[in-house]
Amino acid sequence: MRKFVLTVITMLVAGVYMPAAAQNFNSINADGNIRLANKNKSKNDSLNKKTEIPRGMKVWTVDDRFGDIQPAEPDTLSFMFMNTIFTTGLYGDYNTTGNLGAARQNRIFIDRFKSGDFIFTQPYDYFITHPSDFHFTSTYSPITNLSLNTCGNRTNGEDHFKALFAVNAGKRLGLGFKIDYLYGRGYYSDNSSSLFGSTVYGSYLGDRYQAHLLFSTNHQKQAENGGITNDNYITHPESFNDNYTEAEIPTMLSENWNRNDNQHVFLTHRYSLGFQRKVPMTEEEIKARKFAMESAKENDAKQAKEEAKRKAEEEGYEFDEEDYEKQRALNATEEAPADTTWLKNEYVPVTSFIHTLHLDNYRRIYQGYQTPKGYYAHTFPTIAPLSGDSIYDKTGHFAMKNTFAIALLEGFNKYAKAGLKGFVAHEMKHFTLPDSTTRTESYNEHTVYVGGQISKTEGTLLHYDATAEFGVAGANSGEVTVDGQADLNFRLLGDTVQLAAKGFFHLLSPTFYYTHYHSRHFWWDNDDLDKTAHTRIEGILSWQRTHTQLRVAVDDISKYAYFGTSYQVDSLSNRLGNTVTPRQCGDNISLLTVSLQQSLKYKIMHLDARLTYQKSSKEDIIPLPRLNLYANLYLRFKIAHVLDCDMGADARFFTSYYAPDFVPGIAQYAVQENHENRVKVGNYPFVNVYANFFLKHARFFVMMSHVNSPSDGGKYFLTPHYPTNQRLLRFGVSWNFFN
């Protein structure tokens, strides 16, 4: 791993200093909808004169249905940088199986990522490139970012390396790539993870034509140990005669792996009809334009001076450089324009024709050897039986979705107070599973959708959008999704208060693998599952002056689909007879979520806190911790006026509950249904101590994670039977390089 990282870093650093591709600083697109992180650097031009070259990067995201550009901020802040390395998330809201790169599930129900058709990659959502979250770039000069965090050693350590390179070819075309490599060897046996992902992207932002292209590929390999055999190795180590290290604690499985390989193509492009109008330039555009004009003027002056010298030599008189410069300065004064207003032509789109394409290809293999006798409750026939207890479960999925839309854009005249869109989409899905009589069995689904959107994004007082989609033909006909949000911004006591509302109604069929799944030990075909109806209403109050945010959400779900798992425990605490079954609840389930986020400051002392309360009406089906808390107490100061420092400690805590168990055979979290053997997790704090730094273009930290790890036993589980790592010293760095 370390040799690989050093090789890649050497190649990328060398690439930083390659000449930039045809940059045109004179006309960099400065769309007001895209935020700009801009700084300048000095460089000597052809006249050996030091000039200021604009330097910076714009980033934005795009809507994954229509390709609408959304404002975004570049990832350059040092605040909370130390927590970006954790699989448990920035605020520790996720349950995991312990190792870096492991499967996870959010304890905050309203923040759970929407499940896709290929459920096996859902626990690794943090590693998959999602088009709606991806940051496209436009740079003034080539930019490279290298990030590395590490802990431990070659036997049990964790390493995560990321690289980003972004460049522009002219003012409109932006290109780049990302590399993401994660290798967690695992402090507990048979729990290692190896994840590699790469992404290539490009964008073209013309007046009439715009396009965004994203291609990503991922390989994920996760060793599965099924959890430790006896929780007392962690909770009551004194009950054993020997002292066990983490790696020596017995686990249920060995030589078992989940492997996911997936490739994704996302393309959205549009052609717009509209008109031209004159608008004032932004400060960044004026600065770039002045730089280009001054550079051109200096080059012209140099050529004119050389021409005057040549002419003097030809005509036989002495060239007086002082008189020449005085005359040139006088001419420049007489020719100076009186009008200093800086205007530009802006193209105002009125109607857009949009096409968006999604291509997704997945393959998943679960491979296992030396399975303990009686570990699974059932064994099913397969097309190619393997020797002994060997397992080679394989499934694949391919999906293609084309969306065609026509948009009447907001703001092209004073009467256009909202934008309107209408669309039609076709989705094709293909699944493959093993069968007891044929080599593979294929399933194909086709669905046609229609829908529309109304939105208002301009102005500062009120914004809103509402989108509806209906399945009108095919396998998922009858599906309905309605999503809406709005925000109202008003002044109160000299500051801005935002009151936002979100909501949706989704009537959707359970995803394919809830209805069909074939493997050596799990097998079901449930064509009679009903559609799930899910309604959510959420309100968010944000007050910048007091750094307060309050969220309140209510969910109502009928025909909720989920997985349930059960097993028996023998006299040696082994979990045997494991089974998993897709379920559907016939009753309505209601959930209440209240979350308060508050930041306090006194001089250099800061306290940030997040407290979330949740209540599920069916805790045996949707189990949730009643309280979830994150607190961060730190000092923020500068060293030598140049080094920003955050030094402090943060803690995570949630009340105990019957958290979903992890089922390696399907790589899913499932509700514990063996009531006599159910296990609670929680009521245990996880505390980290850290120092976070920022210097010019580098962010770095040193951290002692789980500093409160007890030596005499504790309850540091986030998932039943999967203990977390104990006390670890961690380091991390993220460095930006500019050409």
Side-chain angles (χ1 to χ4, degrees):
M1 165 65 184
R2 300 183 189 275
K3 290 183 178 180
F4 169 81
V5 170
L6 289 174
T7 301
V8 174
I9 289 177
T10 302
M11 294 173 62
L12 289 173
V13 171
V16 170
Y17 298 100
M18 294 176 63
Q23 294 286 353
N24 185 348
F25 299 113
N26 180 44
S27 52
I28 293 290
N29 186 7
D31 187 344
N33 289 329
I34 303 173
R35 298 184 184 272
L36 174 63
N38 183 50
K39 293 183 179 180
N40 300 322
K41 66 176 181 179
S42 297
K43 182 177 180 179
N44 292 340
D45 62 12
S46 59
L47 299 177
N48 202 30
K49 178 182 177 181
K50 187 165 289 189
T51 58
E52 292 293 318
I53 299 179
R55 180 177 66 190
M57 177 173 67
K58 301 176 185 178
V59 298
W60 64 93
T61 62
V62 297
D63 177 78
D64 61 358
R65 177 183 278 123
F66 302 117
D68 294 335
I69 292 176
Q70 308 290 340
E73 294 284 355
D75 181 22
T76 57
L77 297 179
S78 61
F79 176 62
M80 295 290 285
F81 172 59
M82 72 286 177
N83 284 355
T84 60
I85 69 173
F86 291 121
T87 307
T88 53
L90 199 64
Y91 301 101
D93 293 337
Y94 288 84
N95 289 347
T96 77
T97 55
N99 192 28
L100 179 71
R104 72 178 191 177
Q105 185 185 57
N106 202 320
R107 292 190 300 274
I108 311 301
F109 185 81
I110 61 175
D111 291 335
R112 287 183 182 174
F113 190 79
K114 182 181 177 181
S115 175
D117 287 288
F118 201 73
I119 60 175
F120 310 106
T121 58
Q122 181 184 349
Y124 306 96
D125 62 320
Y126 58 91
F127 201 78
I128 303 295
T129 300
H130 304 287
S132 59
D133 297 328
F134 185 81
H135 282 187
F136 289 89
T137 61
S138 178
T139 69
Y140 285 103
S141 57
I143 296 177
T144 299
N145 174 264
L146 303 178
S147 300
L148 174 67
N149 68 79
T150 184
C151 70
N153 54 44
R154 295 185 177 182
T155 302
N156 54 20
E158 300 176 350
D159 296 294
H160 192 180
F161 170 73
K162 294 191 290 186
L164 165 70
F165 177 74
V167 67
N168 260 60
K171 66 175 182 178
R172 303 186 184 279
L173 180 61
L175 304 168
F177 67 84
K178 293 179 67 176
I179 294 175
D180 197 348
Y181 181 57
L182 184 156
Y183 186 32
R185 299 161 188 80
Y187 282 82
Y188 298 91
S189 64
D190 295 286
N191 196 31
S192 63
S193 58
S194 177
L195 287 71
F196 180 82
S198 60
T199 302
V200 179
Y201 67 93
S203 63
Y204 179 83
L205 299 180
D207 290 336
R208 291 175 174 80
Y209 181 73
Q210 294 185 356
H212 292 84
L213 176 65
L214 188 63
F215 170 74
S216 62
T217 179
N218 300 284
H219 171 74
Q220 301 156 300
K221 180 181 178 182
Q222 174 68 53
E224 304 288 0
N225 62 20
I228 61 177
T229 57
N230 191 334
D231 291 355
N232 285 330
Y233 285 110
I234 300 298
T235 57
H236 298 92
E238 73 281 357
S239 62
F240 300 92
N241 294 327
D242 297 326
N243 292 325
Y244 289 85
T245 65
E246 293 164 291
E248 293 171 339
I249 296 176
T251 59
M252 288 302 305
L253 300 174
S254 62
E255 297 187 54
N256 279 246
W257 297 273
N258 262 304
R259 303 172 188 264
N260 285 311
D261 289 281
N262 47 86
Q263 301 82 37
H264 311 271
V265 177
F266 169 75
L267 169 66
T268 181
H269 56 140
R270 63 174 61 193
Y271 184 82
S272 301
L273 304 176
F275 59 90
Q276 297 277 357
R277 67 182 176 188
K278 292 283 187 180
V279 296
M281 286 186 177
T282 65
E283 292 183 5
E284 290 81 8
E285 288 176 312
I286 293 173
K287 192 171 186 178
R289 177 65 60 85
K290 286 182 177 180
F291 164 75
M293 293 176 64
E294 289 172 1
S295 298
K297 189 182 296 184
E298 291 289 349
N299 289 330
D300 292 342
K302 182 179 179 181
Q303 293 177 5
K305 187 175 183 179
E306 293 298 326
E307 179 64 21
K309 285 183 178 180
R310 185 186 62 79
K311 188 174 181 180
E313 290 177 359
E314 291 178 351
E315 297 182 1
Y317 62 86
E318 183 179 355
F319 178 77
D320 190 327
E321 186 167 338
E322 184 177 353
D323 287 344
Y324 176 84
E325 292 296 340
K326 288 181 179 179
Q327 184 62 40
R328 191 173 71 86
L330 179 61
N331 293 340
T333 303
E334 293 175 349
E335 295 173 1
D339 185 9
T340 58
T341 303
W342 293 82
L343 298 175
K344 66 175 181 178
N345 285 325
E346 179 184 70
Y347 186 77
V348 182
V350 176
T351 303
S352 293
F353 301 91
I354 304 168
H355 170 236
T356 299
L357 169 68
H358 290 264
L359 288 176
D360 301 288
N361 184 51
Y362 299 90
R363 185 183 67 169
R364 185 253 181 176
I365 296 172
Y366 182 72
Q367 193 170 2
Y369 305 97
Q370 301 179 4
T371 305
K373 185 177 181 180
Y375 181 78
Y376 293 104
H378 307 288
T379 299
F380 299 96
T382 60
I383 55 172
L386 302 175
S387 60
D389 293 318
S390 298
I391 304 170
Y392 194 79
D393 298 335
K394 184 177 179 181
T395 184
H397 167 50
F398 174 80
M400 178 175 67
K401 185 173 184 178
N402 283 283
T403 302
F404 299 91
I406 299 177
L408 300 177
L409 303 181
E410 162 192 10
F412 66 88
N413 67 39
K414 62 181 180 180
Y415 301 107
K417 300 300 183 183
L420 297 173
K421 297 184 180 76
F423 67 91
V424 59
H426 173 264
E427 185 173 34
M428 184 275 288
K429 301 177 183 177
H430 175 74
F431 303 88
T432 58
L433 285 171
D435 189 83
S436 58
T437 57
T438 61
R439 183 159 296 276
T440 58
E441 185 173 357
S442 296
Y443 302 80
N444 295 301
E445 297 179 356
H446 293 266
T447 306
V448 176
Y449 300 93
V450 298
Q453 182 189 75
I454 181 172
S455 63
K456 181 183 182 300
T457 60
E458 297 182 357
T460 58
L461 178 63
L462 176 66
H463 310 102
Y464 59 83
D465 70 74
T467 306
E469 182 180 67
F470 306 92
V472 295
N476 294 323
S477 61
E479 289 191 342
V480 178
T481 61
V482 180
D483 297 87
Q485 61 182 357
D487 63 82
L488 178 65
N489 304 273
F490 55 92
R491 303 291 291 178
L492 179 64
L493 300 179
D495 198 19
T496 300
V497 176
Q498 183 183 82
L499 182 61
K502 298 180 180 180
F504 64 72
F505 172 74
H506 293 171
L507 181 63
L508 301 174
S509 303
T511 56
F512 173 82
Y513 289 101
Y514 279 88
T515 57
H516 300 283
Y517 185 67
H518 303 163
S519 68
R520 188 168 178 84
H521 297 293
F522 305 127
W523 196 293
W524 59 77
D525 290 287
N526 299 323
D527 291 314
D528 56 348
L529 292 181
D530 296 326
K531 290 181 174 64
T532 298
H534 186 179
T535 304
R536 175 178 298 163
I537 300 174
E538 179 180 356
I540 305 172
L541 175 65
S542 302
W543 195 354
Q544 297 179 8
R545 184 170 190 170
T546 61
H547 303 284
T548 303
Q549 184 184 83
L550 176 65
R551 299 173 66 192
V552 180
V554 177
D555 289 77
D556 183 79
I557 310 173
S558 65
K559 303 294 183 179
Y560 177 70
Y562 64 99
F563 287 111
T565 184
S566 62
Y567 52 80
Q568 293 82 43
V569 180
D570 67 8
S571 59
L572 300 177
S573 299
N574 292 312
R575 298 182 295 279
L576 305 176
N578 286 270
T579 185
V580 63
T581 307
R583 306 286 192 191
Q584 189 164 53
C585 177
D587 299 327
N588 277 34
I589 303 175
S590 60
L591 298 102
L592 172 65
T593 305
V594 180
S595 179
L596 175 64
Q597 181 174 339
Q598 181 66 59
S599 296
L600 301 174
K601 174 185 175 182
Y602 178 72
K603 295 184 178 179
I604 66 170
M605 182 175 292
H606 295 252
L607 173 63
D608 300 332
R610 293 163 59 100
L611 177 64
T612 302
Y613 170 84
Q614 298 179 108
K615 181 67 173 69
S616 169
S617 65
K618 293 281 187 180
E619 294 186 347
D620 56 333
I621 296 175
I622 304 182
L624 300 170
R626 193 62 57 89
L627 292 176
N628 197 88
L629 172 67
Y630 173 81
N632 184 14
L633 180 64
Y634 58 98
L635 303 177
R636 171 168 291 174
F637 55 91
K638 282 183 178 289
I639 299 176
H641 303 288
V642 294
L643 180 63
D644 293 319
C645 178
D646 291 343
M647 186 176 297
D650 63 352
R652 305 137 189 82
F653 176 86
F654 58 93
T655 53
S656 63
Y657 75 114
Y658 292 109
D661 204 348
F662 184 71
V663 183
I666 60 170
Q668 294 293 293
Y669 282 88
V671 173
Q672 299 183 65
E673 293 188 332
N674 47 321
H675 292 278
E676 68 281 5
N677 295 312
R678 288 196 301 172
V679 174
K680 281 188 173 183
V681 301
N683 273 353
Y684 178 88
F686 294 86
V687 181
N688 301 336
V689 176
Y690 67 90
N692 204 20
F693 303 97
F694 181 78
L695 178 63
K696 291 186 177 181
H697 308 305
R699 297 175 290 171
F700 53 98
F701 71 85
V702 57
M703 171 198 291
M704 183 67 75
S705 63
H706 198 181
V707 69
N708 61 312
S709 174
S711 59
D712 57 349
K715 298 184 294 182
Y716 43 93
F717 294 86
L718 293 176
T719 297
H721 316 301
Y722 286 88
T724 62
N725 293 330
Q726 297 183 20
R727 188 181 299 111
L728 290 175
L729 182 63
R730 300 176 180 272
F731 303 92
V733 61
S734 177
W735 202 310
N736 293 321
F737 298 89
F738 300 91
N739 185 21

